[in-house]
Amino acid sequence: MTVRRRILLFQLVTIVFVAVVVCLMLITLKLTDDFVNRIDGVHSRFEAISELDGLGNNYAEQLAEVLLLGAEQMPDFQLARQRMEEGFRVLAEVTRREFATLGSLGDVQQELPEAEFAARLQEFYRAIDRAAERVFQAQTAGQQDRAVDIFRRSIEYRLSNDFETMLEDARREERGEVAEELARVRSTQHTVLIAAGMFSVLVIAVGLGLGLTLQHSIARPVRLLAAGAEAIANDQLDHRIQTSRRDEFLVLSQSFNKMAEAIERQRASLTSAQARLEREVDQRTLELRQANDQLVALDSKRSQFLADASHELRTPLTILRGEAEVALRGRPRLAAFRDALNRIQLYAADMARLLEDLIDFTRTEIDDVTYDFETVEAEDVVVAAVHESEILAQQKQMEVQLLSRAPKQLIRADPRRLKQALMIGIDNAIKYADRGGSIDIDICRSDGVLALTIRDHGCGIDPGELPFVFDRYYRGTNNASRAATGLGIGLPIAKTIVERHGGTIILAPAPQRGAVLTIRLPIAEGETHADIDCRR
């Protein structure tokens, strides 16, 4: 017998075994499914009966409230009556579903008492409900004592005794039914297990015999092939397999020998080709990676440039438009026109310098711009920022006010850049402050550090967002509620400016309402003025 026929015979035995196992599994699944369906039906009936118990108590309580408190409680009683009707409807529905899961006439006949019980229970409730109508009739006729007597004899007693007894008997029957189902399933499982065990022993014996025969006819040729493959793997390409068999292994051995010869001829050329190909792949991979890194860097710089330009130009443009509107409003004097034009010229120059910085920034590969540091009074920079932000505040009928001052406090700073950071903070506060409110700015000195605080009285900030407010392009959840526009780069720009000045910037919730932006800057060397208490 050839190896192929031996394998076919072994496969046939395996298929028979698998088919029997599948049949046993299907039988087990069918039993399990029937059991689950029955238990689910019993559980649903149990819940429906328990629900009726509670609804019955509520029905009696609402009826008693009508007797004691009058017709004002009738809506609650009607609701309790509706719930009782709904409870009986649910009981009937779960009973119907349980009958639908029954598979034989005997099971149906066995479950008929449950349907009869549901009908009896509902009829019993109908009698109690009719007694309730008599109670209402007696109460309406002014016979309160008779109404109370009917309630006690025909309703309260029957609900608390007969009705609850029937429900308890039903629950006991459901528990018994579950126990019977468990016993039946266990008995069937025992039978299935015995049959499966006997068949498994038979299949194991037959399979063991066939397996030993098949192993004896396959093991030696396979060992020869394995030894040949191991020799080829160990670079013994002159190794050949010798066999005297007249089956499939003879053809396999001849094919193996031809393969060894082909490998021996091609190995040298393949080795050199593979090495050359690997070198070329590595080179191309490196070139592609470098090109991709350059594209990513260029795209990042382009996106950052557009975002910074749009954000930084928005505030000066708003101020320019506001100055023009103020100048054109009413009939101002020539001096007012000249003052407005001077401010417009000043902001136009700031915008030109800003554009130059942004363009220089995109033409270089470093993320930096030029800072012109000098020793300046911090109050002058803050006052300039407050004055320039008045146009922004007027659009929301708000006031930007400097609550405290710190004269003669000198710092090393680029006034234009520092004013830009302050304008970002004030603009951010105006966005989220309530219309008609105020933005409070303080200047104070403590422990050799100058603190500039910008406080609004708006919606505030979620503490969970504080770690991300200085991340580029991050916009908090309050943005939508305040209809704020922008790309979320204002505070990151301000942070960069402050850190270039050797300071720190912090955004935190205000003690009562709103948010507080605090900028701390080092005092210029040689300054010894007394500290000024900071506002809380």
Side-chain angles (χ1 to χ4, degrees), residues 494-529:
K495 183 174 184 290
T496 301
I497 294 174
V498 172
E499 288 178 349
R500 283 296 304 272
H501 284 75
T504 60
I505 182 170
I506 300 174
L507 181 64
Q512 295 180 354
R513 190 170 185 271
V516 178
L517 182 72
T518 303
I519 298 175
R520 291 184 172 86
L521 299 171
I523 301 296
E525 295 182 1
E527 286 295 300
T528 58
H529 293 287

Side-chain angles (χ1 to χ4, degrees), residues 78-259:
Q78 293 295 343
L79 180 59
R81 175 183 285 174
Q82 293 176 4
R83 290 178 176 173
M84 285 291 292
E85 295 290 344
E86 178 65 19
F88 279 108
R89 188 193 66 76
V90 171
L91 178 61
E93 177 65 20
V94 297
T95 303
R96 183 190 64 78
R97 288 202 303 266
E98 186 176 0
F99 269 78
T101 61
L102 301 178
S104 64
L105 182 60
D107 293 337
V108 173
Q109 292 177 348
Q110 185 178 358
E111 297 297 328
L112 283 177
E114 293 185 357
E116 296 175 356
F117 165 77
R120 281 199 321 273
L121 190 64
Q122 189 168 13
E123 185 59 31
F124 185 80
Y125 163 71
R126 298 296 183 194
I128 293 176
D129 197 53
R130 288 193 293 271
E133 293 295 335
R134 294 199 303 273
V135 169
F136 295 146
Q137 292 174 1
Q139 189 179 29
T140 304
Q143 301 174 359
Q144 184 69 16
D145 294 338
R146 183 171 179 273
V148 172
D149 182 63
I150 294 173
F151 172 75
R152 289 177 177 174
R153 287 186 297 101
S154 300
I155 299 177
E156 183 180 28
Y157 179 80
R158 298 182 72 181
L159 281 174
S160 61
N161 291 277
D162 299 341
F163 190 73
E164 290 187 359
T165 300
M166 293 175 68
L167 294 177
E168 183 59 32
D169 292 341
R171 285 194 289 263
R172 186 163 49 252
E173 290 178 1
E174 297 299 330
R175 297 189 188 98
E177 185 175 349
V178 172
E180 292 177 1
E181 287 295 324
L182 284 173
R184 184 172 66 85
V185 170
R186 288 170 180 166
S187 176
T188 306
Q189 287 178 338
H190 183 68
T191 303
V192 172
L193 287 175
I194 292 176
M198 294 176 62
F199 181 76
S200 298
V201 171
L202 177 61
V203 171
I204 289 173
V206 175
L208 184 60
L210 293 175
L212 291 175
T213 302
L214 188 62
Q215 179 186 11
H216 180 72
S217 62
I218 294 177
R220 185 175 180 277
V222 169
R223 284 197 298 270
L224 293 175
L225 289 172
E230 185 176 359
I232 297 297
N234 293 329
D235 292 334
Q236 300 176 12
L237 300 180
D238 57 345
H239 181 84
R240 300 295 182 266
I241 297 176
Q242 304 296 329
T243 180
S244 59
R245 299 176 62 91
R246 294 293 184 268
D247 54 15
E248 295 87 348
F249 282 102
L250 175 61
V251 178
L252 184 60
S253 299
Q254 294 174 349
S255 300
F256 181 88
N257 293 334
K258 293 179 180 179
M259 178 194 68

Side-chain angles (χ1 to χ4, degrees), residues 278-353:
E278 288 179 353
R279 289 194 299 270
E280 293 179 357
V281 169
D282 292 340
Q283 181 64 26
R284 297 297 182 269
T285 302
L286 179 60
E287 293 174 357
L288 289 175
R289 185 180 296 110
Q290 292 174 349
N292 183 68
D293 293 341
Q294 292 176 358
L295 289 175
V296 171
L298 290 174
D299 184 70
S300 176
K301 289 181 179 296
R302 179 187 60 81
S303 300
Q304 184 173 342
F305 166 72
L306 293 176
D308 290 347
S310 63
H311 183 276
E312 294 303 316
L313 292 177
R314 179 173 54 82
T315 300
L317 286 174
T318 302
I319 296 176
L320 287 176
R321 187 175 64 249
E323 291 288 350
E325 290 175 355
V326 171
L328 296 175
R329 187 183 303 140
R331 296 181 178 178
R333 298 184 304 275
L334 180 60
F337 271 121
R338 182 180 298 276
D339 184 57
L341 290 175
N342 287 333
R343 286 194 294 271
I344 291 174
Q345 181 183 11
L346 177 62
Y347 285 115
D350 288 342
M351 290 174 62
R353 287 192 297 272

